[in-house]
Amino acid sequence: MNTALKDVIKTAQLFSLPDVYLRLKSLLDDPDYAMGEVAAVISLDPAMTLRLLRIVNSSLYGLNKQVDTVSRAIILLGSQQVHDIVLATSIAQAFRGISKDVMDVGKFWRRSVYCAVTCRHLARQQGSCDKERLFVAGLLCDIGHLLIYQAIPDIYWKMAQELKHSEKTIVDMEQELLGFDYAQVGALLLEQWNLSESLKETTKLHVHPGKAEQYPLETALVHIGFLMTRAGDGEGVFNEAGLSVDPSAWERTGLTAEDCSDLYKEIEKDVRVAMELIFL
C-alpha cells in the first residue's frame, strides 16, 4: 500500500457517523424491529427530529398534509426512506468540522447535493429505483475527493493543476499519479461505515458503470447523474467529449440524453431547497 493511500485511510478513520444514525441502523438491521422503536430512536435527537420533519414537509416530497411527528413520517414514507433521509443529514454532520483552508467545502457540498437531487430525478424518470436511495448514492459518489483533499492536499493540488492541461480524465490521472482514484477511496469510507452493498457499489463503480454486477441499474443512474452534475457546474457539455455517458448506462436505464436534459430546470429548483434543509 502506497504512502498516499495510507494517509487517506488514516484521515477516513477520523470521521464517524452520529450516534443517532448508528442507533437507527442497528435497530433496522434487526428483522423484528417495530415502527415505534424507529420513532423513539430518532426522537431522542431533537435536532435530527426537526431536520427530518422539515425535509418531509418540504416541496421535495409534496405531501398533501402537514407531518408533525416522526411516527407519522415513518407511516407515510416507510422506515427505509426515513433511514435514507437520516443517513443523508448524518453524512453532512460527520464532515461539519472539516477544514475550509484546503478546499472550497461549500462548493463541494453544493455539487454533492446537486448530484443527489439529479440522481433522485433520474430514478423517478426511470421508474424502477428507490428515489431516496438514489439521493444518498448521488450524495456519496464524490465523497472520496473530500478525504483526498484533507489527507494529501499538496499532492492533490499539483495534480489538479496538471489536469487542467491534460486530456486525461480525473480517474485516469489519479490512478497514474496516486495509484488509486476517488471512487475507490469513497468505497473504503463506506466500508468503514458499514453501509449497504448498493451504496458501496454505486460509489466505487459509477466511474466504470459497465463493471457493476450487483446493482448495475443504480450504478448506471449515478454515473449519468454525476456527469450531469459536472455539466451543470460548467465542466463541459453533457454527453459530449469528456462528459460522454457510457453506452452501458443508456442500455441499462433505458433513458436518453434528451430525457436527462429535460430535468435540469427541476433539478436547480430542488437543489436550493435541499441545501437549505440539509445544511442549515
Side-chain angles (χ1 to χ4, degrees):
M1 185 184 297
N2 66 44
T3 301
L5 184 55
K6 288 180 180 178
D7 290 341
V8 171
I9 291 175
K10 287 180 181 177
T11 300
Q13 292 169 348
L14 299 176
F15 297 100
S16 59
L17 292 169
D19 287 343
V20 61
Y21 173 74
L22 297 177
R23 291 195 297 268
L24 177 61
K25 184 178 185 304
S26 177
L27 176 62
L28 294 179
D29 285 343
D30 181 348
D32 296 322
Y33 76 86
M35 289 293 195
E37 294 176 300
V38 176
V41 166
I42 297 173
S43 298
L44 289 173
D45 188 316
M48 182 61 74
T49 298
L50 178 61
R51 200 174 296 274
L52 172 64
L53 293 178
R54 286 178 62 205
I55 292 173
V56 170
N57 286 302
S58 74
S59 60
L60 291 176
Y61 285 85
L63 299 178
N64 294 326
K65 294 183 179 180
Q66 188 79 4
V67 179
D68 54 9
T69 66
V70 173
S71 298
R72 183 65 177 161
I74 295 170
I75 291 171
L76 290 173
L77 300 180
S79 57
Q80 185 59 58
Q81 283 201 22
V82 169
H83 163 274
D84 291 343
I85 294 171
V86 173
L87 174 57
T89 57
S90 293
I91 291 164
Q93 290 182 42
F95 289 95
R96 189 175 293 277
I98 203 166
S99 171
K100 297 179 180 180
D101 297 332
V102 179
M103 63 180 293
D104 186 338
V105 179
K107 181 179 179 180
F108 174 86
W109 281 120
R110 190 186 184 282
R111 276 175 58 112
S112 295
V113 170
Y114 193 107
C115 188
V117 169
T118 301
C119 289
R120 188 175 190 266
H121 275 278
L122 289 172
R124 179 189 298 165
Q125 183 90 338
Q126 196 279 329
S128 60
C129 278
D130 186 299
K131 301 190 301 296
E132 303 321 312
R133 180 49 52 94
L134 262 293
F135 182 94
V136 178
L139 188 71
L140 287 171
C141 72
D142 198 28
I143 202 76
H145 271 141
L146 202 56
L147 295 175
I148 293 173
Y149 291 145
Q150 290 293 303
I152 48 173
D154 294 340
I155 297 174
Y156 203 83
W157 186 86
K158 291 177 182 177
M159 192 190 73
Q161 299 310 304
E162 187 173 336
L163 186 64
K164 292 178 181 179
H165 308 288
S166 172
E167 295 183 358
K168 296 177 181 177
T169 67
I170 192 166
V171 171
D172 289 341
M173 181 76 77
E174 287 173 350
Q175 285 288 352
E176 181 180 314
L177 299 182
L178 302 177
F180 56 88
D181 61 59
Y182 77 92
Q184 292 172 319
V185 169
L188 285 172
L189 177 65
L190 303 198
E191 181 73 38
Q192 176 184 306
W193 282 350
N194 196 29
L195 296 187
S196 70
E197 291 299 323
S198 65
L199 291 175
K200 284 186 279 189
E201 182 159 282
T202 54
T203 298
K204 184 176 182 178
L205 294 179
H206 73 277
V207 294
H208 301 296
K211 295 182 179 180
E213 296 180 354
Q214 290 182 280
Y215 302 94
L217 175 57
E218 290 85 346
T219 304
L221 288 170
V222 175
H223 169 74
I224 295 171
F226 188 62
L227 293 178
M228 290 178 65
T229 298
R230 291 176 59 192
D233 205 32
E235 290 187 26
V237 178
F238 174 62
N239 204 34
E240 293 185 14
L243 300 183
S244 295
V245 172
D246 189 304
S248 69
W250 292 134
E251 181 180 351
R252 285 172 170 171
T253 63
L255 297 174
T256 66
E258 290 73 23
D259 291 333
C260 300
S261 296
D262 289 344
L263 297 174
Y264 272 114
K265 187 175 181 180
E266 288 298 313
I267 289 168
E268 287 286 352
K269 181 181 69 176
D270 284 352
V271 166
R272 291 192 293 271
V273 175
M275 282 294 292
E276 292 179 359
L277 292 170
I278 294 176
F279 291 97
L280 290 184

